[in-house]
Amino acid sequence: NAGVTQTPKFQVLKTGQSMTLQCAQDMNHEYMSWYRQDPGMGLRLIHYSVGAGITDQGEVPNGYNVSRSTTEDFPLRLLSAAPSQTSVYFCASSDTFGDTQYFGPGTRLTVL
Amino acid sequence: EDQVTQSPEALRLQEGESSSLNCSYTVSGLRGLFWYRQDPGKGPEFLFTLYSAGEEKEKERLKATLTKKESFLHITAPKPEDSATYLCAVQGDDYKLSFGAGTTVTVRA
């Protein structure tokens, strides 16, 4: 049981490039979410999903896309990277919406 | 809008020196208050969930308490391995989590 896994661990992009951050969980959790963590600020919700085929926006969704085609996977896509998207990104999952969330190890993204 | 404020931002303790971290919050319809521990370069690790004022939970040297406006995380006789950033989050009527910025605890041997 690996829990929540994220790849890559580190990534450097140039402004305007696109990429996908991967997140997978093997706990059969219905709820999955993406957060970003910036210095001096709390974790902020980007997008979330309450089940396969269902996604919704969080607090800071601009510049990011998500999809949920399977229960296990919840990728986060950056369409055209900007320096303001330099951050540490965490994926989390829980059994259902509102249950305790369990976090992955994070992806540290730098946009030059 | 739900808000969470944690204090102090940083706390330096001597091994064995007990102390408390504060998490004050405003939320529409508290469904739960969560404490997480985060080590450098890692994801948050779940510690406790508190659901109603007066509730307390303990785990080793950590004890979390909850009132209607704030929560405290008490660290009793800390050891260097308790050094971490402790995050507080509240869950309101919309079931989403709102996080504080965290308190970074450093315990010196």
Side-chain angles (χ1 to χ4, degrees), chain A residues 40 48 53 73 87 90 92 97 101:
Chain A
Y48 65 97
D73 300 299
S87 187
F90 290 101
F97 192 21
Q101 293 184 42

Side-chain angles (χ1 to χ4, degrees), chain A residues 13-14 29 44 46 48 55-56 68 73 93 100 108:
Chain A
L13 292 178
K14 294 181 179 179
H29 283 173
R44 292 182 291 169
I46 304 171
Y48 65 97
T55 64
D56 205 348
R68 183 101 179 265
D73 300 299
S93 74
T100 298
R108 182 173 294 273

